[in-house]
Amino acid sequence: MTGLRVLDLTIAMAGPLCTQRLAEMGADVIKIEAPGGGDFARHAPMAGVTRFGDATCFVTLNRNKRSLVLDLKSEDGRDILNRMVLGADVLVQNYRPHVAKKLGIDYATLSALNPRLVYGSITGYGDEGPMKDRPGQDLLLQCFTGLTFNGGTLDGLPAASPLYMVDVTASHMVCEGVLAGLVARGVSGRGQEVKVSMMGAIMEMQCQEVTSFLAADAPPARGTQPQVSIYQEPPYGLYKCAEGYFAIAQADLDVLARALDLPALSTLKASRPSQGDVAALTTWRDEIVATVAAKLIHATATEWDSLLAPLGIWCMVANDYAAFLAHPQAREMLIELEHPKGGTYTTVAPGIRFPAVSPKKMTSAPAYGAHSRQILRMEGFTDAQIDQLVLRGTIVALDA
């Protein structure tokens, strides 16, 4: 994507992760931040962790970008953005519905200036409907869309993912859409709008479960034994061991019965209730989970892994970050970067690689307004004009 320019008007995670991926592929990404602090991810530390004056969340999601602080609520600011749009290939924003139109930076307005612009937008729940103005936050969307009742126990709390998986999936989807828009532009010569909602992203993640729910006369239910997913056949789940925890994914109950010396599992396999008998099926699932749990508690997770993995049973020791990041398999997925304020930090390396292309040099996330002057000079502004914009508060420049 070398030679393509991306205007990044995003905050938080879903938008910045998308544009970071475009930057890692070679695009020139200009992160346009608002006066008064910019992307709130700079000031929203995860577990209270900050580095180089910013939250690690921001540092992680904004590498290989340049920062321009620009007041889009001012006429001067909108004029500058419009000037930049003329030479841009892509713009990505994740404002709430109708905010972009209110600011005059919606697709209809900007595509009239540059018909070749590929315009990506991310919303929480889409542009219409009673939820459209509710905050599009990951945990809230997990709860709204039913996901949190797919695991846990009948009387326990709904089971939410601790990760921002909705943001990540939405970021991937809008990135794919932008890339498809660029390919289509190469054929037609015209850009287009790419619209992704976080609700759409989590619905896609649950496509198997939702379809199965709609097709079932009697959908599965949570039982008394903790389960990772009620839509997976037991013994799918996590188990406590004499030391550590152990995960079993797909496992034929007959194979597992022989491996664990638990003939009861074969008996249970043969006595599976009908799909329509929810109560009996829930009891059946609970009995399998309880039987396996009672056996696994007598040895360590590592010992069970050594026994079961060679038999073709899909299983894994449950690592914490310390154990995982010390494993040799993790090393190639980490990268050390230098920050412009001095010092280095280790983070996750780009997940997409192109073996035939020399990897792009990775740079750290930009300091707030670090490139405002540089970017405006490239747009043809003189130093005197830039100084006036700083005085009027239209832009913020790090060296001002």
Side-chain angles (χ1 to χ4, degrees):
M1 295 185 67
T2 302
L4 295 181
R5 174 167 288 191
V6 177
L7 303 182
D8 176 0
L9 280 70
T10 67
I11 59 172
M13 185 175 191
L17 184 57
C18 163
T19 51
Q20 176 172 279
R21 181 168 284 107
L22 297 174
E24 291 168 352
M25 293 179 186
D28 174 21
V29 177
I30 298 174
K31 185 174 182 69
I32 298 175
E33 301 186 72
D39 186 342
F40 76 80
R42 287 187 182 272
H43 319 290
M46 179 169 283
V49 182
T50 61
R51 289 293 303 273
F52 315 108
D54 287 322
T56 51
C57 307
F58 180 86
V59 174
T60 303
L61 299 169
N62 290 280
R63 64 185 174 217
N64 283 51
K65 303 179 185 179
R66 295 186 289 161
S67 171
L68 165 65
V69 179
L70 184 63
D71 182 6
L72 294 177
K73 295 180 180 179
S74 71
E75 185 175 347
D76 283 344
R78 288 191 295 274
D79 287 345
I80 291 171
L81 180 69
N82 290 343
R83 185 163 166 174
M84 296 176 69
V85 163
L86 295 175
D89 298 284
V90 175
L91 183 145
V92 183
Q93 57 90 357
N94 61 348
Y95 292 107
R96 290 193 190 185
H98 312 305
V99 172
K101 186 172 184 179
K102 181 179 179 181
L103 291 173
I105 57 172
D106 55 297
Y107 174 68
T109 300
L110 299 185
S111 64
L113 299 174
N114 178 2
R116 290 176 54 80
L117 184 68
V118 176
Y119 183 104
S121 68
I122 308 170
T123 59
Y125 301 86
D127 294 337
E128 303 296 336
M131 297 294 291
K132 69 180 188 299
D133 293 320
R134 293 288 291 268
Q137 195 275 339
D138 202 287
L139 174 62
L140 307 185
L141 277 147
Q142 290 185 47
C143 291
F144 178 68
T145 58
L147 180 146
T148 57
F149 278 93
N150 286 351
T153 60
L154 180 62
D155 297 323
L157 287 172
S161 169
L163 298 177
Y164 292 124
M165 61 180 187
V166 188
D167 283 83
V168 171
T169 304
S171 80
H172 290 193
M173 290 175 68
V174 75
C175 185
E176 290 173 12
V178 164
L179 294 175
L182 289 169
V183 171
R185 189 183 73 176
V187 177
S188 68
R190 292 190 61 85
Q192 60 182 289
E193 186 175 15
V194 178
K195 301 173 77 170
V196 170
S197 73
M198 294 174 70
M199 190 177 78
I202 195 169
M203 290 293 288
E204 182 170 291
M205 292 173 68
Q206 299 181 89
C207 61
Q208 297 179 101
E209 291 80 3
V210 169
T211 305
S212 297
F213 175 87
L214 294 172
D217 294 330
R222 300 196 299 173
T224 59
Q225 296 294 315
Q227 295 183 39
V228 171
S229 171
I230 60 175
Y231 280 88
Q232 297 290 339
E233 287 289 275
Y236 188 98
L238 278 160
Y239 297 87
K240 182 176 175 59
C241 301
E243 181 182 326
Y245 297 86
F246 191 61
I248 298 178
Q250 278 67 35
D252 182 275
L253 288 176
D254 287 330
V255 175
L256 194 61
R258 291 191 295 271
L260 298 180
D261 191 21
L262 287 175
L265 291 179
S266 291
T267 303
L268 285 164
K269 177 183 178 180
S271 62
R272 187 187 195 279
S274 67
Q275 192 65 36
D277 192 342
V278 176
L281 193 58
T282 301
T283 299
W284 177 81
R285 295 172 62 94
D286 284 343
E287 190 171 351
I288 292 174
V289 172
T291 301
V292 174
K295 183 72 173 185
L296 295 187
I297 196 66
H298 294 295
T300 69
T302 302
E303 289 169 338
W304 289 125
D305 191 58
S306 298
L307 172 67
L308 300 182
L311 300 177
I313 293 172
W314 292 12
C315 58
M316 187 64 64
V317 174
N319 292 319
D320 59 14
Y321 280 152
F324 166 63
L325 295 174
H327 195 284
Q329 193 71 37
R331 290 173 192 158
E332 68 172 24
M333 293 310 301
L334 297 173
I335 187 173
E336 185 175 79
L337 297 178
E338 292 188 17
H339 195 275
K341 291 187 177 180
T344 63
Y345 65 98
T346 302
T347 187
V348 178
I352 300 175
R353 300 183 182 184
F354 303 92
V357 180
S358 297
K360 181 177 176 65
K361 185 180 185 303
M362 294 289 108
T363 61
S364 179
Y368 182 62
H371 306 95
S372 295
R373 288 183 178 275
Q374 178 194 84
I375 292 166
L376 292 188
R377 288 189 189 112
M378 293 177 65
E379 294 295 325
F381 288 86
T382 66
D383 285 340
Q385 289 173 319
I386 294 171
D387 289 339
Q388 286 300 311
L389 290 168
V390 171
L391 290 173
R392 291 199 293 271
T394 304
I395 70 167
V396 174
L398 186 64
D399 60 347

